[in-house]
Amino acid sequence: MKKQKLSVVKIGGKLIENENLLQTFLRSFVDLQGHKILIHGGGILATQLSDQLGYKSTLIDGRRITDENTMKVITMTYAGYINKNIVAKLIGSGCNAIGLCGADGSSILSKRRAVKDIDYGNVGDVETVNTEFICSLLTQQITPVFSAISCTKEGQLLNTNADSIAAEVAIALSKDFETHLFYSLNKNGVLMDAENDKSVIEELDFVLYQDLQAKGLISNGMLPKLHNCFHALQHNVNNVYVGGVDVLKSGIKQTKILN
Amino acid sequence: MKKQKLSVVKIGGKLIENENLLQTFLRSFVDLQGHKILIHGGGILATQLSDQLGYKSTLIDGRRITDENTMKVITMTYAGYINKNIVAKLIGSGCNAIGLCGADGSSILSKRRAVKDIDYGNVGDVETVNTEFICSLLTQQITPVFSAISCTKEGQLLNTNADSIAAEVAIALSKDFETHLFYSLNKNGVLMDAENDKSVIEELDFVLYQDLQAKGLISNGMLPKLHNCFHALQHNVNNVYVGGVDVLKSGIKQTKILN
């Protein structure tokens, strides 16, 4: 039997921070045919709230540590404010959605990242995606909206990279669905020249990726993102796209990642 | 066929604010046999966060108005911080739970309260409880945990009384379940003398309630709560109990409300 189509869409950055852009994006998300799942990060809202509350960021080697206060702020902004506002907007557009963090329905369980050189604090890596539960939602025509928080089976909430969650959710569900994974960035795709937003690479395969990486042409922010893209393709996800805020629109220049 | 048992439990006040009390309560909640649903308010956490952020409360005739900033803070604390921490604790105790606000899965849709003398702002009254969706969770042995936020079908999040949500959820599900409704208060039940925590009325029927009310012996805070209790009993909820933080424990003095 032909598998049904599922789109897994990750949004972040300015889409989350700009009400008008978000509204426009959600319209195209609602119009997307077939089953769909939305995964969002938090943009700068968590940092802004931390600053307002006078919480000091702990940085080690320039990397932010998720201490108790940061985790509290992330839970409030990601799982609370951003998540519920997206869900409410979707409900208002006639798309029955449900906002989840990884704890909800044990949907995304993770392991706290082991301390090697640096203790990143309350940060986790996905271990299991509860596909049975997520499929039961999709079957009921309910669209899951995940915030980038997972949970250990011992009940600890953990800050978790939204790009990785998107890849792991898409991979886990590719058993049951023809799965399409979309990453929406501030840039219009993977750029040949980071300064030129028109230099979108339309097709990026692993050979070209390695070549560009060797030449130092892929920015530090893009490397882990592309790692997630190839990881997904190598684990049965059918298609992966990297684009801008209008990644879901057809006829828009964006990057298709090829295995 | 005999209906299965469902317990709907509302917690608030010091239970939410005190980590140790909450932990103890959640242990007895996990031990509760049969299907169950938890509904929580936000205690003083929302007020504390509003104060920290410098948001001024708007009061009209001494009543707090839910303006935009207040709604934002409520969404962060109720649907984010408190809700996800309860869910994570339940997951860690082996109880598969899901945190929801009324928008999620269109579970509790409401209508913005009409402006008569006072415009309370973003405040709503429950219109429909999506029993089909909630039953599908219960059937999967997933325990819903609701924060006191509902949503209009147009997609507006609204601050909604947690006692009323508990009553309406219990009423809606009494079609399918033998339903028991529990209210956990800071006091140990309905008191004959508000100053004496040992003066718990063990059984309170509607005649006694009206008598006590006429004599001015029921406090202003307790009146709407008892209204919800009798409303639930009059709409097919099987049993209603009002007790303290250990309302779920047997052999504890508390108030049973009788029709």
Side-chain angles (χ1 to χ4, degrees), chain A residues 33 47 64 107 163 174-175 202 227 236 243 256:
Chain A
Q33 294 300 303
T47 313
R64 187 182 303 272
S107 50
D163 292 340
S174 65
K175 255 191 317 171
E202 294 194 41
H227 172 80
N236 302 319
K256 182 170 186 185

Side-chain angles (χ1 to χ4, degrees), chain A residues 52-205:
Chain A
Q52 279 180 288
L53 293 172
Y55 294 157
K56 294 231 169 17
S57 293
T58 316
L59 296 171
I60 299 183
D61 284 352
R63 298 196 61 163
R64 187 182 303 272
I65 306 304
T66 307
D67 58 14
E68 290 299 320
N69 278 338
T70 307
M71 195 61 223
K72 184 174 175 179
V73 162
I74 284 174
T75 308
M76 291 198 288
T77 48
Y78 293 16
Y81 184 67
I82 298 169
N83 189 266
K84 298 314 169 194
N85 275 290
I86 290 176
V87 169
K89 281 183 177 39
L90 289 174
I91 297 285
S93 306
C95 171
N96 192 9
I98 185 168
L100 302 167
C101 78
D104 297 310
S106 307
S107 50
I108 302 175
L109 297 184
S110 62
K111 212 170 169 170
R112 195 182 160 103
R113 191 169 297 167
V115 179
K116 286 180 195 160
D117 303 332
I118 297 177
D119 179 0
Y120 290 105
N122 299 313
V123 168
D125 297 301
V126 178
E127 279 214 317
T128 53
V129 175
N130 186 345
T131 55
E132 192 183 342
F133 171 57
I134 297 172
C135 284
S136 91
L137 295 173
L138 297 173
T139 307
Q140 293 175 77
Q141 309 301 326
I142 300 175
T143 296
V145 178
F146 281 103
S147 61
I149 294 173
S150 62
C151 186
T152 68
K153 60 181 190 301
E154 292 78 26
Q156 187 177 26
L157 296 171
L158 295 173
N159 186 8
T160 302
N161 184 277
D163 292 340
S164 304
I165 288 185
E168 296 302 337
V169 165
I171 289 169
L173 288 161
S174 65
K175 255 191 317 171
D176 302 300
F177 295 93
E178 177 198 308
T179 309
H180 303 253
L181 175 59
F182 298 84
Y183 286 102
S184 157
L185 319 179
N186 286 350
K187 304 280 182 182
N188 288 330
V190 185
L191 304 181
M192 191 59 97
D193 168 6
E195 303 303 309
N196 177 6
D197 213 23
K198 291 196 172 133
S199 68
V200 173
I201 301 168
E202 294 194 41
E203 292 191 340
L204 178 63
D205 63 18

Side-chain angles (χ1 to χ4, degrees), chain B residues 210-249:
Chain B
Q210 285 185 307
D211 184 44
L212 293 173
Q213 193 183 348
K215 289 176 178 151
L217 289 172
I218 295 177
S219 69
N220 280 339
M222 191 60 86
L223 277 177
K225 221 172 264 289
L226 286 175
H227 172 81
N228 279 310
C229 294
F230 287 109
H231 176 65
L233 284 175
Q234 284 153 10
H235 291 82
N236 302 319
V237 172
N238 294 75
N239 284 301
V240 180
Y241 302 91
V242 176
V245 294
D246 42 17
V247 68
L248 296 181
K249 287 200 185 133

Side-chain angles (χ1 to χ4, degrees), chain B residues 10-13 16 39-43 77-78 82-83 86 146-148 160 162:
Chain B
K10 189 261 166 171
I11 60 173
I16 301 285
I39 289 143
H40 65 85
T77 48
Y78 294 13
I82 299 169
N83 190 266
I86 290 177
F146 281 103
S147 61
T160 302

